[in-house]
């Protein structure tokens, strides 16, 4: 096992080892180029004790955070923890591996060597005795255009979506350069973070200005900026990273933001549209599918760890129970 404090140090070490001995690690760098680009920006914009481990041809991304262990109970019990995950509120896992078996083995190796509290967030698979965390919602695009998407919906869902679009008439969506992300846009983003039931971290305005994303400003019916969207397209996937909007605009504006992202993904030919976590009902009613995500809470002290396992259900996310049959077939 080796560890690195910087992505550039990690890359340099892998590339210095020779192609024959480290071909699998090189493949991980290439396949996850978007993640390592993001991590490099976060090292400057959101320094939080990032450390990257190389174990069994896998890469484990970690950082430090004061975490509320009782988030899903809507209570507070904060503790300093080493997090296995990305230091940003996205659903991607911090376990970067070729397959589930080696990924799980590598993550558990890192967890066992930590002395204090360690929390693995957003794992795509159980790490053994793990609880659920917030599910992710993915839209699989099988449509030629937005009209085809609308016509494939059952009538009640189509009627609701058309009602959302009617309420959104007058909104203007316009792309701006990410370097023009303003303090006003950042305030819209902070408003959403502060209202969130499951907050992790608040990114500074410098992150949005430095990260090469697609920023969309939404002008409201009163002519003022009402919302901002931050999107990132990579390969066959469009990712809905962040949004911000004025509280008084309410659910109608938020639903129009979701529809805009799906429409954009369909029209630009993306196969997958990653809609992120939270807002389960709204996203499922638009035809998204749920991806369960796992969480493991571990402590280096055996007594504390046994207690955490005993009460692990308190940390677990309660999944949304309603089934939505959005499409006719």
């Amino acid at each position: 096992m080796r560890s690195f404090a910087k992505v550039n140090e990690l890359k340099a070490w892998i590339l210095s080892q020779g192609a024959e001995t480290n071909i699998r690690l090189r493949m991980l760098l290439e396949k996850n180029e978007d993640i390592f680009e993001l991590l490099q920006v976060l090292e400057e914009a959101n320094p939080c004790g990032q450390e990257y481990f190389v174990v069994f041809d896998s890469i484990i991304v970690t950082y430090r955070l004061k975490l509320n262990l009782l988030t899903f109970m809507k209570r507070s019990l904060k503790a300093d923890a080493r997090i296995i995950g990305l230091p940003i509120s996205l659903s991607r896992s911090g376990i970067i591996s070729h397959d589930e078996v080696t990924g799980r083995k590598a993550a558990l190796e890192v967890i066992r060597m930590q002395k204090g509290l360690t929390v693995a967030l957003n794992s795509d698979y159980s790490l053994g005795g793990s609880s659920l965390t917030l599910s992710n919602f993915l839209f699989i695009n099988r449509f030629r255009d937005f009209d085809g998407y609308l016509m494939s919906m059952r009538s009640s869902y189509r009627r609701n979506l058309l009602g959302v679009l009617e309420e959104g008439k007058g909104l203007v969506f316009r792309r701006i350069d990410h370097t023009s992300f303003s303090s006003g846009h950042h305030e819209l983003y902070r408003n959403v973070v502060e209202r969130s039931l499951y907050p992790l971290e608040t990114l500074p305005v410098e992150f949005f200005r430095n990260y090469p994303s697609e920023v969309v400003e939404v002008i409201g019916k009163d002519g003022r900026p009402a919302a901002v969207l931050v999107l990132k397209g990579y390969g066959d996937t469009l990712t809905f990273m962040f949004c911000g909007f004025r509280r008084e605009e309410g659910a109608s504006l938020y639903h129009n933001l979701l529809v805009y992202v799906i429409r954009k993904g369909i029209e630009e030919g993306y196969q997958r549209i990653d809609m992120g976590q939270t807002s389960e009902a709204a996203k499922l009613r638009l035809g998204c599918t749920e991806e369960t995500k796992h969480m493991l809470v571990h402590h280096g002290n055996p007594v504390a760890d046994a207690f955490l396992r005993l009460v692990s259900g308190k940390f677990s996310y309660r999944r949304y129970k309603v089934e939505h049959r959005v499409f006719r077939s």
Side-chain angles (χ1 to χ4, degrees):
M1 181 188 300
R2 295 185 67 97
S3 67
F4 304 87
K6 300 286 185 182
V7 166
N8 282 337
E9 295 172 2
L10 167 68
K11 288 182 176 179
W13 180 81
I14 291 175
L15 296 175
S16 71
Q17 299 303 297
E20 292 300 321
T21 56
N22 266 308
I23 188 169
R24 285 173 62 81
L25 286 173
R26 289 182 179 219
M27 288 170 62
L28 281 185
L29 288 182
E30 293 174 4
K31 184 178 179 181
N32 297 279
E33 183 181 359
D34 60 323
I35 289 298
F36 291 107
E37 176 189 42
L38 173 63
L39 290 170
Q40 282 186 270
V41 176
L42 287 168
E43 285 175 1
E44 297 297 325
N46 187 33
C48 47
Q50 286 96 327
E51 191 170 4
Y52 314 101
F53 295 88
V54 176
V55 197
F56 306 131
D57 293 335
S58 298
I59 299 170
I60 308 299
V61 180
T62 76
Y63 65 102
R64 300 208 69 88
L65 179 69
K66 199 171 189 69
L67 188 70
N68 179 16
L69 294 175
L70 299 182
T71 290
F72 300 126
M73 295 180 65
K74 300 181 182 178
R75 297 182 183 179
S76 181
L77 178 60
K78 292 191 174 182
D80 289 315
R82 170 67 62 181
I83 308 295
I84 293 179
L86 304 185
I88 187 172
S89 296
L90 294 179
S91 63
R92 293 278 289 271
S93 172
I95 304 170
I96 302 174
S97 182
H98 291 283
D99 56 74
E100 180 177 330
V101 173
T102 56
R104 179 185 290 109
K105 185 178 179 183
L108 291 175
E109 189 76 11
V110 171
I111 288 169
R112 291 189 191 104
M113 67 169 285
Q114 302 297 321
K115 294 182 179 180
L117 181 66
T118 305
V119 179
L121 286 177
N122 292 329
S123 172
D124 295 319
Y125 37 80
S126 171
L127 297 173
S130 58
S131 303
L132 294 177
T133 188
L134 293 169
S135 294
N136 189 54
F137 296 92
L138 189 69
F139 185 90
I140 305 299
N141 181 22
R142 53 186 177 86
F143 308 102
R144 289 186 181 181
D145 51 38
F146 190 70
D147 285 341
Y149 161 63
L150 285 175
M151 295 310 298
S152 72
M153 302 178 87
R154 292 178 183 272
S155 59
S156 59
Y157 291 97
R158 182 169 61 252
R159 185 165 55 249
N160 288 338
L161 195 155
L162 291 174
V164 167
L165 293 174
E166 182 65 29
E167 291 177 355
K169 280 186 175 179
L171 295 175
V172 177
F173 292 79
R174 64 185 187 191
R175 182 171 178 176
I176 63 172
D177 193 275
H178 65 90
T179 59
S180 300
F181 196 93
S182 69
S183 57
H185 298 135
H186 194 248
E187 183 178 354
L188 292 170
Y189 155 74
R190 288 201 318 272
N191 284 342
V192 170
V193 174
E194 290 165 4
R195 300 196 302 268
S196 173
L197 296 175
Y198 314 111
L200 279 178
E201 73 287 301
T202 304
L203 294 169
V205 69
E206 289 75 20
F207 167 79
F208 299 96
R209 292 173 179 168
N210 294 332
Y211 182 60
S213 60
E214 181 172 340
V215 178
V216 178
E217 181 183 62
V218 184
I219 303 301
K221 299 171 186 178
D222 58 3
R224 296 189 299 144
V228 64
L229 286 165
V230 180
L231 311 173
K232 181 69 172 181
Y234 186 81
D236 66 358
T237 302
L238 176 66
T239 300
F240 175 24
M241 295 184 68
F242 300 104
C243 73
F245 58 93
R246 301 199 301 254
R247 185 186 187 97
E248 60 268 23
E249 296 287 349
S252 173
L253 174 60
Y254 179 65
H255 289 154
N256 270 280
L257 300 182
L258 296 180
V259 174
Y260 173 85
V261 176
I262 288 179
R263 185 173 200 155
K264 178 181 176 63
I266 292 173
E267 292 177 347
E268 296 188 4
Y270 286 100
Q271 296 177 24
R272 297 154 44 93
I273 307 170
D274 186 343
M275 298 296 288
Q277 296 161 297
T278 72
S279 304
E280 304 96 326
K283 293 171 183 177
L284 289 170
R285 288 183 182 123
L286 291 174
C288 292
T289 58
E290 181 182 12
E291 295 182 318
T292 56
K293 293 284 183 173
H294 298 265
M295 171 177 68
L296 177 66
V297 182
H298 178 273
H299 202 286
N301 182 303
V303 176
D305 187 58
F307 173 75
L308 288 173
R309 288 182 179 273
L310 184 66
V311 299
S312 62
K314 303 292 184 182
F315 311 138
S316 192
Y317 165 67
R318 271 64 172 177
R319 293 175 62 191
Y320 181 77
K321 298 295 186 181
V322 180
E323 181 180 357
H324 293 281
R325 296 179 62 199
V326 175
F327 300 110
R328 293 200 303 269
S329 61

